[in-house]
């Protein structure tokens, strides 16, 4: 019996040590980023000239919202068929070259996280938007702490990501329409169940499309030694907004953590209307 407890004790201890090591490694990687490589090869794509072209980019070098990314693809495909869009989907940065990028009406960072573009590719994206293109970001695309791309943070977000709630991580909230001119197809209000990103400030020079009442969620993202994340964005907590950038525009929504959002017709409608808005010249 004594031997049994000794074995049990050592097994438990080993398990705890391994769990701690794996946890520390994960936190280290989330904080410092994963190893990154940049693709430079131009993909062979033929973009039809009679359809608005959408680039669906879901490269991740930080946290990967794999289930949401996977769930988004068939939905986007259906929307493309319905609206007559051409969608090119990739996880490689090679398409971020001036000739090919210019052929897209809308570029979507679909839960793309971490540093994903080389410096040259970043400049290509910046020029693309300033010359009239549309950049859209979904959820993780705004956890910008690792994009290491200042222009992107300033012009897609106009603010800086702080944290997301952890106690609990997912909460229900009423999502209310603020910009009634964006599209008549959007729901005035719907219930969202998401990981509500908290940003340090209200986005600058942005038009808020949807917001939640931040006073009605538990915003604390405190964990272990992180004790400074117990704040939210107050009553007007934006969850979707758009900005004018040069001759182009950007749209961002912080919703979209889990695959379930892609089964929510009000969220899907927001994405559909944003792409239509983005493709409009
Ligand atoms: Zn998330």
């Amino acid at each position: 019996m004594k031997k049994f407890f000794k074995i049990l004790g050592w097994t438990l201890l080993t398990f705890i040590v391994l769990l701690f090591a794996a946890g520390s490694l994960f936190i280290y990687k989330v904080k410092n980023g994963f190893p990154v490589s940049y693709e430079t090869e131009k993909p062979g794509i033929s973009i039809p000239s009679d359809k608005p072209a959408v680039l669906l980019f879901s490269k991740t070098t930080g946290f990967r919202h794999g289930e949401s990314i996977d769930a988004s693809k068939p939905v986007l495909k259906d929307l493309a068929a319905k609206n007559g869009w051409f969608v090119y989907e990739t996880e490689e940065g090679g398409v971020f070259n001036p000739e090919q990028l210019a052929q897209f009406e809308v570029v979507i960072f679909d839960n793309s996280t971490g540093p994903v573009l080389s410096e040259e590719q970043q400049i290509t994206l910046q020029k693309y938007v300033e010359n009239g293109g549309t950049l859209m970001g979904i959820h993780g695309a705004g956890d910008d702490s690792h994009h290491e791309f200042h222009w992107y943070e300033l012009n897609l977000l106009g603010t800086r990501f702080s944290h997301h709630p952890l106690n609990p991580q997912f909460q229900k909230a009423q999502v209310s329409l603020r910009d009634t001119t964006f599209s008549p197809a959007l729901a005035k209000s719907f219930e969202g169940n998401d990981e509500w990103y908290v940003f340090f400030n209200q986005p600058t020079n942005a038009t808020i499309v949807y917001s939640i009442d931040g006073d009605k969620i538990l915003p604390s993202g405190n964990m272990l030694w992180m004790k400074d994340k117990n704040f939210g964005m107050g009553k007007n907590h934006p969850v979707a907004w758009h900005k004018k950038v040069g001759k182009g525009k950007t749209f961002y929504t912080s919703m979209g953590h889990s695959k379930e959002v892609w089964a929510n017709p009000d969220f899907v409608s927001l994405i559909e209307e944003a792409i239509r808005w983005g493709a409009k010249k």
Side-chain angles (χ1 to χ4, degrees):
M1 208 55 187
K2 215 173 147 191
K3 201 176 164 194
F4 171 76
F5 280 113
K6 210 170 166 183
I7 291 169
L8 185 72
W10 278 110
T11 310
L12 273 175
L13 190 68
T14 310
F15 182 71
I16 290 165
V17 167
L18 282 176
L19 202 69
F20 183 76
S24 308
L25 186 69
F26 178 76
I27 290 170
Y28 175 83
K29 285 189 163 186
V30 165
K31 276 194 167 307
N32 298 283
F34 296 75
V36 177
S37 65
Y38 302 114
E39 307 79 19
T40 49
E41 204 180 318
K42 273 190 199 177
I45 344 167
S46 57
I47 300 173
S49 56
D50 57 338
K51 284 180 166 183
V54 177
L55 172 60
L56 191 62
F57 185 59
S58 43
K59 178 177 176 180
T60 56
T61 59
F63 185 87
R64 186 168 177 86
H65 294 82
E67 288 189 352
S68 181
I69 291 171
D70 291 346
S72 71
K73 292 177 184 175
V75 174
L76 264 301
K77 224 174 152 182
D78 285 352
L79 291 181
K82 180 183 161 194
N83 289 281
W85 303 327
F86 168 80
V87 175
Y88 177 69
E89 163 205 319
T90 185
E91 302 236 343
E92 296 196 355
V95 66
F96 288 82
N97 62 77
E99 304 92 282
Q100 287 188 311
L101 207 62
Q103 296 178 61
F104 289 94
E105 266 73 18
V106 181
V107 173
I108 306 176
F109 273 49
D110 182 15
N111 262 310
S112 176
T113 56
V116 288
L117 300 179
S118 69
E119 245 169 79
E120 210 178 322
Q121 290 165 346
Q122 292 181 358
I123 293 165
T124 300
L125 177 60
Q126 177 177 344
K127 286 189 176 154
Y128 160 80
V129 175
E130 285 167 355
N131 288 325
T134 299
L135 172 65
M136 264 176 75
I138 299 173
H139 188 65
D143 165 12
D144 59 333
S145 36
H146 315 300
H147 278 295
E148 290 162 21
F149 184 5
H150 186 63
W151 176 89
Y152 176 96
E153 179 177 287
L154 210 64
N155 292 287
L156 177 66
L157 303 170
T159 181
R160 195 151 214 272
F161 174 83
S162 169
H163 64 278
H164 61 67
L166 281 168
N167 316 296
Q169 187 178 359
F170 304 101
Q171 298 176 38
K172 284 186 178 154
Q174 208 56 35
V175 182
S176 306
L177 187 66
R178 298 266 300 277
D179 178 10
T180 50
T181 63
F182 188 71
S183 160
L186 291 183
K188 298 271 175 294
S189 172
F190 67 91
E191 188 183 71
N193 185 15
D194 221 304
E195 180 190 68
W196 303 108
Y197 277 5
V198 174
F199 296 87
F200 282 109
N201 305 98
Q202 294 289 322
T204 51
N205 301 319
T207 306
I208 309 299
V209 180
Y210 275 115
S211 66
I212 59 168
D213 184 344
D215 291 337
K216 289 188 178 161
I217 61 164
L218 300 167
S220 175
N222 280 350
M223 65 184 259
L224 302 173
W225 59 90
M226 264 195 327
K227 298 289 178 209
D228 57 344
K229 297 295 183 188
N230 190 12
F231 63 90
M233 299 183 75
K235 197 163 175 57
N236 293 320
H237 181 140
V239 297
W241 59 87
H242 59 85
K243 285 167 78 71
K244 266 197 198 126
V245 179
K247 291 180 199 156
K249 47 198 178 180
T250 61
F251 172 93
Y252 173 73
T253 176
S254 62
M255 295 182 280
H257 175 92
S258 60
K259 63 174 191 232
E260 282 77 23
V261 298
W262 295 100
N264 178 341
D266 295 318
F267 174 79
V268 173
S269 170
L270 174 63
I271 299 302
E272 180 178 18
E273 293 310 309
I275 296 172
R276 291 168 79 159
W277 167 86
K280 228 186 282 164
K281 287 288 159 265

